[in-house]
Amino acid sequence: GSLERRRCLYLHRGRACCQMMEVLLAALILVCSSVSGGSAGGYTGLPALGGIYYYQYGGAYSGFSGADGERAQQLDQRFYLLKLPIARAAMAVGGCLLVFPCVLILVGVLRVPWHFPAWLLIECTLCIAIAVGTVPALYYFFHSLLSVYNSSVCKEREQLYQSKGYQGFWCSLHGAEIAAGLLGCMAAMAYLLSAGLAVRDYRTAHEQKQKPLQL
């Protein structure tokens, strides 16, 4: 009926499109954060091979044996534990950013802003708060990661792997972490745009509500 048509029309509005973009960005942030907090890679002991250590990602047997292999495992574990809280915090933020626009889309489809236009001002305030809050969140994210990469654990791990000729264990930001930061910046801009669209829609809804009273 006409009610269902109006609900579907909301999904074609600028605010809904912006909210769907926020959902996509949040999902990508969540993926990048999980990659950052994933296994540190490195070497896993194979007892059946008498202390030879197997390179997980390269598929080749390494020259590590005995104390070197055990040390590599210890450094991998310590490095992983250093990054884990940062990754979990980033995933929690990504999860919240994923849920919030989904709720806003549902509210819009149910036409709550039409029946209660003041909701749009609340939505605008929340969007601005999220956009502004993204700045210190990104600072904390990169500052914490750089602290891990500058730690003695990371430096020793990097040197140990390089001594065996393996690359890719550098103490620097990797692609997924940089991507998460860029996606966070894009999400902040999307929320600012949503705030502006919410104000515009509030004015439109308020004017339409006032028209019957003026007749």
Side-chain angles (χ1 to χ4, degrees):
S2 60
L3 179 60
E4 295 298 327
R5 194 179 306 114
R6 290 195 195 100
R7 289 178 176 177
C8 291
L9 282 175
Y10 173 75
L11 298 177
H12 297 281
R13 295 178 65 87
R15 202 167 88 254
C17 292
C18 196
Q19 289 163 354
M20 287 187 279
M21 178 61 69
E22 291 161 7
V23 171
L24 175 61
L25 291 172
L28 292 174
I29 290 172
L30 199 56
V31 170
C32 291
S33 301
S34 64
V35 170
S36 176
S39 174
Y43 293 84
T44 301
L46 297 180
L49 296 177
I52 298 176
Y53 286 78
Y54 181 73
Y55 184 48
Q56 287 182 359
Y57 296 156
Y61 293 105
S62 76
F64 282 16
S65 62
D68 283 345
E70 292 176 2
R71 185 58 180 165
Q73 282 187 305
Q74 292 173 2
L75 291 172
D76 284 340
Q77 184 65 18
R78 290 172 63 187
F79 180 69
Y80 170 75
L81 291 176
L82 285 174
K83 289 186 68 178
L84 186 60
I86 306 169
R88 283 181 173 174
M91 291 174 67
V93 171
C96 292
L97 292 178
L98 182 62
V99 172
F100 181 68
C102 290
V103 172
L104 294 184
I105 291 172
L106 178 61
V107 168
V109 169
L110 295 176
R111 294 177 57 81
V112 172
W114 170 253
H115 299 291
F116 182 55
W119 165 260
L120 290 168
L121 297 180
I122 298 173
E123 182 177 319
C124 173
T125 303
L126 292 174
C127 288
I128 292 175
I130 291 173
V132 173
T134 301
V135 176
L138 287 173
Y139 172 80
Y140 168 79
F141 178 68
F142 284 113
H143 177 74
S144 300
L145 281 176
L146 290 175
S147 297
V148 172
Y149 288 129
N150 290 327
S151 67
S152 58
V153 172
C154 186
K155 298 297 184 183
E156 183 180 352
R157 179 174 178 266
E158 180 184 37
Q159 292 173 2
L160 183 59
Y161 281 111
Q162 284 183 345
S163 70
K164 299 299 180 179
Y166 288 100
Q167 305 298 320
F169 296 91
W170 298 292
C171 293
S172 59
L173 297 171
H174 60 65
E177 292 159 351
I178 296 172
L182 293 175
L183 290 167
C185 293
M186 293 172 64
M189 291 187 287
Y191 275 105
L192 288 176
L193 179 58
S194 284
L197 293 174
V199 172
R200 185 199 65 180
D201 289 351
Y202 170 77
R203 290 175 178 171
T204 301
H206 185 69
E207 290 173 359
Q208 291 178 350
K209 287 282 187 179
Q210 294 297 320
K211 282 181 180 179
L213 298 178
Q214 295 173 357
L215 294 176

